[in-house]
């Protein structure tokens, strides 16, 4: 029962957090721990763009105390249509917490079609599973 309650709380926090972020940088992320319903600070996250056959590194950041990176897209660059990949370095996060995990990193590939919109990628995380969706 606690797991379900914590999961619902985490989903609610993701929705509320994205409202405040929609006006600035075109890409934000949020990582929440499903085991305890709390934010996951200290998760390294990278952003890459699919160019030809390769992935081009664009930026990286680390989640803050609220488990967020509100400005992951490079400042001063225009968001263009195409495929992007956000990689959450979860192995490092769990290692620092002295926990095992099945997923050392979690890549989330998404497509940008409307460049004027804000893209928010929440990650609901546990050591042996995860869920993500497009936030707003």
């Amino acid at each position: 029962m606690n797991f379900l309650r914590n999961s619902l709380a985490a989903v609610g926090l993701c929705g509320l957090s994205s409202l405040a972020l929609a006006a600035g940088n075109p890409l934000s992320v949020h990582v929440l721990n499903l085991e305890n319903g709390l934010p996951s600070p200290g998760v390294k996250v990278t952003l890459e763009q699919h160019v030809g056959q390769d992935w081009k590194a664009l930026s990286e950041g680390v989640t803050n105390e609220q488990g967020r990176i509100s400005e992951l897209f490079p400042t001063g660059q225009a968001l263009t249509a195409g495929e992007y990949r956000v990689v959450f370095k979860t192995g490092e996060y769990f290692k620092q917490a002295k926990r095992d995990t099945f997923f050392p990193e979690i890549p989330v590939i998404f497509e940008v079609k409307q460049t004027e919109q804000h893209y928010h990628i929440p990650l609901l995380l546990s050591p042996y599973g995860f869920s993500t969706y497009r936030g707003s």
Side-chain angles (χ1 to χ4, degrees):
M1 189 65 171
N2 283 339
F3 178 78
L4 179 59
R5 188 177 318 125
N6 288 339
S7 297
L8 292 173
V11 169
L13 286 172
C14 281
L16 289 175
S17 69
S18 64
L19 293 175
L21 301 172
N25 190 280
L27 179 63
S28 58
V29 299
H30 192 187
V31 183
L32 289 165
N33 186 327
L34 283 175
E35 286 187 301
N36 57 20
L38 297 173
S40 298
V43 177
K44 183 178 176 184
V45 182
T46 62
L47 173 64
E48 303 166 335
Q49 184 176 17
H50 199 206
V51 179
Q53 298 291 319
D54 300 313
W55 290 97
K56 175 186 174 190
L58 295 179
S59 68
E60 65 179 42
V62 177
T63 57
N64 65 17
E65 290 301 313
Q66 291 86 36
R68 303 172 202 219
I69 301 173
S70 59
E71 298 181 346
L72 188 57
F73 198 79
T75 304
Q77 289 188 27
L79 179 65
T80 59
E83 285 186 3
Y84 292 84
R85 177 169 66 185
V86 172
V87 182
F88 297 89
K89 307 292 186 173
T90 53
E92 296 172 18
Y93 167 76
F94 282 114
K95 185 176 181 178
Q96 286 190 345
K98 295 180 174 57
R99 299 288 315 270
D100 289 332
T101 182
F102 187 68
F103 301 102
E105 63 180 33
I106 299 171
V108 178
I109 298 171
F110 62 100
E111 186 173 12
V112 170
K113 291 184 179 180
Q114 297 171 320
T115 58
E116 71 284 353
Q117 291 188 354
H118 179 83
Y119 291 82
H120 181 67
I121 301 177
L123 179 69
L124 305 176
L125 179 63
S126 77
Y128 297 97
F130 65 90
S131 178
T132 187
Y133 58 93
R134 180 183 175 185
S136 57

